[in-house]
Amino acid sequence: QKEVEQDPGPLSVPEGAIVSLNCTYSNSAFQYFMWYRQYSRKGPELLMYTYSSGNKEDGRFTAQVDKSSKYISLFIRDSQPSDSATYLCAMSEYNTGRRALTFGSGTRLQVQP
Amino acid sequence: NAGVTQTPKFQVLKTGQSMTLQCAQDMNHEYMSWYRQDPGMGLRLIHYSVGAGITDQGEVPNGYNVSRSTTEDFPLRLLSAAPSQTSVYFCASSSGIWEKLFFGSGTQLSVL
């Protein structure tokens, strides 16, 4: 079983829709939670970064962490065609011997104009 | 500001050949790492470095070597290429292990 599970999609939505992207994980030691966006043939870029449980909002994007359920979400409001990309969740332990991020496999999002 | 620069962008190798993927960053980051990205597998860590002269293995290190002689450069060497190493390789850097990762644009490698 993978430590981080993410539905690969593709997820196709009309422009203006609210998008919900999700990841589940099994390692209770994960403390930092991130969302990266990756356009085709490009490297990932950090979109959102949260520590522990709760919500964080940045413009049209909201990241939500529920550590009790081992479940994280990224919500995109008023989605735009420019949001079409692959979204990768990533997680890390903190202050342990494990010095790396664990990535989900990514969800491909298509926003139709 | 160039950020993280990877070369080459594309490479085709024959089984058994060796090559070096180059990575350079101009942000004075101490932490650098190499990932490979395969369909359905996400990004998997190959090797990482927390500073010049210090490297360590990640999740999938077999068949790869790294060294870190300067803060700026972190090359990845394939010793004897195998078809299983066909992948997209990303170099990344950050100011600390748990800080924001900046990725290069990737190297698409095919081993025939």
Side-chain angles (χ1 to χ4, degrees), chain A residues 2 36 38 44 49 93 95 100, chain B residues 37 40 45 98 100-101 103-104:
Chain A
K2 293 181 184 177
Y36 282 81
Q38 185 177 20
Y49 185 123
E93 301 177 10
N95 218 19
Chain B
Q37 187 174 36
L45 183 67
W98 295 286
K100 173 182 177 178
L101 273 177
F103 283 86

Side-chain angles (χ1 to χ4, degrees), chain A residues 18 33 38 40 45 52 57 65 68 83-84 91 99 102:
Chain A
I18 296 174
F33 303 91
Q38 185 177 20
S40 181
E45 56 179 342
S52 197
E57 189 173 320
V65 175
S68 62
D83 295 327
S84 297
M91 310 175 189
R99 300 179 170 188
T102 301

Side-chain angles (χ1 to χ4, degrees), chain A:
Chain A
Q1 183 190 5
K2 293 181 184 177
E3 274 189 299
V4 179
E5 298 279 358
Q6 188 174 8
D7 188 323
L11 178 62
S12 184
V13 301
E15 183 175 354
I18 296 174
V19 175
S20 172
L21 303 166
N22 311 294
C23 288
T24 59
Y25 63 95
S26 57
N27 183 353
S28 57
F30 286 144
Q31 296 284 344
Y32 284 102
F33 303 91
M34 287 140 272
W35 286 95
Y36 282 81
R37 178 175 61 195
Q38 185 177 20
Y39 291 113
S40 181
R41 300 188 184 279
K42 299 288 186 183
E45 56 179 342
L46 184 67
L47 203 56
M48 298 287 284
Y49 185 123
T50 58
Y51 175 73
S52 197
S53 286
N55 291 2
K56 184 175 182 180
E57 189 173 320
D58 184 2
R60 297 185 295 111
F61 299 90
T62 299
Q64 195 172 76
V65 175
D66 182 350
K67 290 188 71 180
S68 62
S69 302
K70 296 189 178 67
Y71 189 87
I72 70 169
S73 300
L74 177 71
F75 298 96
I76 307 174
R77 291 183 298 280
D78 187 25
S79 56
Q80 303 295 310
S82 59
D83 295 327
S84 297
T86 296
Y87 290 80
L88 302 154
C89 63
M91 310 175 189
S92 70
E93 301 177 10
Y94 180 72
N95 218 19
T96 67
R98 191 174 178 185
R99 300 179 170 188
L101 293 179
T102 301
F103 283 86
S105 55
T107 299
R108 190 155 64 93
L109 171 66
Q110 298 170 338
V111 181
Q112 308 293 340

